[in-house]
């Protein structure tokens, strides 16, 4: 009985911690995410956070589509000069950055304005590599709001001045984000590093 009580109290404590972490990150970053292209400040580089092009159904992944739309909007408005796409290319048959590049070019973005980060296996990797590999200490994240907020939280820890441009969202509820933000917080506490760094490719 005593063990059950301890487990119950531990579960309650963890749940409260997860809840508070989620809402603390939302509060801390609320003034740094923008829906309006007119209001968002200029940064030289916009970082598109990767996702797969296709959903499990085989249809286009709307998270992907709306990030493309947001990146094009931001570029055409002159709020960024370059687009850095950071995503997963861990298998020969899976290449998020190249998919984004192809579709960005089809929407009129010049090839020389697009840089690819093939080792953005997760948000922490994408954020840290933007600074350590691509030389950016100020950046605009391009993703859905919930994702931008997490990226900005990580960026602030690494002394990167960041804002986020919010792509159209797909879901009203993001239960998984509660766990993702908790993991992001723990990664910072335990100083988890990107899987790869490597040779610098400075965007100037």
């Amino acid at each position: 009985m005593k063990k059950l009580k301890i487990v119950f109290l531990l579960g309650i404590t963890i749940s409260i911690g997860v809840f508070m972490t989620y809402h603390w990150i939302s509060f801390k970053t609320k003034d740094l995410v923008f829906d309006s292209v007119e209001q968002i400040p200029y940064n030289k580089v916009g970082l598109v956070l990767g996702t797969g092009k296709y959903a499990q159904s085989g249809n286009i992944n709307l998270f992907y589509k709306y990030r493309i739309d947001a990146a094009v909007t931001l570029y055409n408005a002159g709020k960024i000069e370059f687009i850095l796409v950071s995503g997963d290319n861990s298998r020969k048959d899976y290449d998020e950055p190249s998919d984004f590049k192809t579709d960005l070019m089809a929407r009129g973005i010049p090839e020389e304005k697009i840089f690819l980060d093939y080792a953005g296996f997760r948000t922490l990797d994408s954020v840290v590599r933007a600074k350590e590999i691509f030389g950016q200490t100020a950046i605009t994240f391009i993703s859905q709001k919930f994702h931008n907020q997490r990226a900005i939280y990580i960026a602030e820890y690494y002394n990167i001045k960041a804002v986020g441009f919010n792509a159209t969202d797909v879901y009203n509820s993001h239960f998984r984000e509660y766990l993702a933000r908790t993991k992001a917080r723990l990664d910072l506490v335990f100083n988890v590093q990107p899987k790869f760094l490597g040779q610098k490719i400075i965007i100037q």
Side-chain angles (χ1 to χ4, degrees), residues 48-69:
V48 180
L49 297 168
T51 187
K53 183 172 181 176
Y54 297 102
Q56 289 185 346
S57 64
N59 296 325
I60 191 76
N61 176 2
L62 292 180
F63 286 105
Y64 175 96
K65 177 184 182 300
Y66 294 145
R67 290 179 201 182
I68 291 281
D69 292 343

Side-chain angles (χ1 to χ4, degrees), residues 1-8:
M1 188 69 178
K2 186 177 181 180
K3 287 183 178 180
L4 286 175
K5 186 175 181 180
I6 292 172
V7 170
F8 176 75

Side-chain angles (χ1 to χ4, degrees), residues 7-192:
V7 170
F8 176 75
L9 291 175
L10 182 61
I12 292 295
T13 301
I14 291 172
S15 297
I16 291 173
V18 169
F19 180 85
M20 291 182 66
T21 297
Y22 179 93
H23 289 284
W24 169 246
I25 290 176
S26 292
F27 173 77
K28 189 173 175 62
T29 61
K30 64 184 176 65
D31 295 327
L32 299 172
V33 288
F34 297 84
D35 297 310
S36 168
V37 72
E38 289 80 15
Q39 294 179 355
I40 192 168
Y42 165 88
N43 273 318
K44 181 170 62 179
V45 176
L47 170 54
V48 180
L49 297 168
T51 187
K53 183 172 181 176
Y54 297 102
Q56 289 185 346
S57 64
N59 296 325
I60 191 76
N61 176 2
L62 292 180
F63 286 105
Y64 175 96
K65 177 184 182 300
Y66 294 145
R67 290 179 201 182
I68 291 281
D69 292 343
V72 171
T73 297
L74 208 58
Y75 178 85
N76 287 340
K79 291 303 179 84
I80 55 174
E81 291 183 45
F82 298 94
I83 297 175
L84 170 61
V85 182
S86 183
D88 189 347
N89 179 214
S90 57
R91 308 190 311 268
K92 288 184 178 180
D93 61 342
Y94 189 78
D95 186 350
E96 291 176 359
S98 293
D99 285 341
F100 271 98
K101 180 179 180 180
T102 298
D103 289 336
L104 286 167
M105 290 175 61
R107 294 284 298 273
I109 307 298
E111 183 175 11
E112 65 272 16
K113 297 293 185 177
I114 304 171
F115 287 77
L116 302 183
D117 174 11
Y118 295 102
F121 302 115
R122 57 191 184 130
T123 305
L124 183 141
D125 297 59
S126 297
V127 172
V128 175
R129 286 175 56 80
K131 180 179 182 180
E132 298 300 328
I133 302 301
F134 296 92
Q136 303 307 303
T137 56
I139 205 157
T140 298
F141 294 117
I142 303 169
S143 188
Q144 280 69 29
K145 182 178 179 179
F146 70 90
H147 197 185
N148 283 336
Q149 289 178 316
R150 175 158 41 98
I152 291 168
Y153 178 75
I154 295 169
E156 288 186 340
Y157 179 86
Y158 286 98
N159 295 314
I160 301 169
K161 185 178 179 182
V163 295
F165 186 56
N166 300 329
T168 301
D169 208 344
V170 181
Y171 304 132
N172 292 322
S173 175
H174 294 283
F175 175 76
R176 290 177 59 189
E177 185 63 16
Y178 279 84
L179 301 179
R181 292 187 182 190
T182 299
K183 188 175 187 309
R185 175 60 183 156
L186 291 173
D187 284 345
L188 300 184
V189 168
F190 291 104
N191 196 32
V192 174

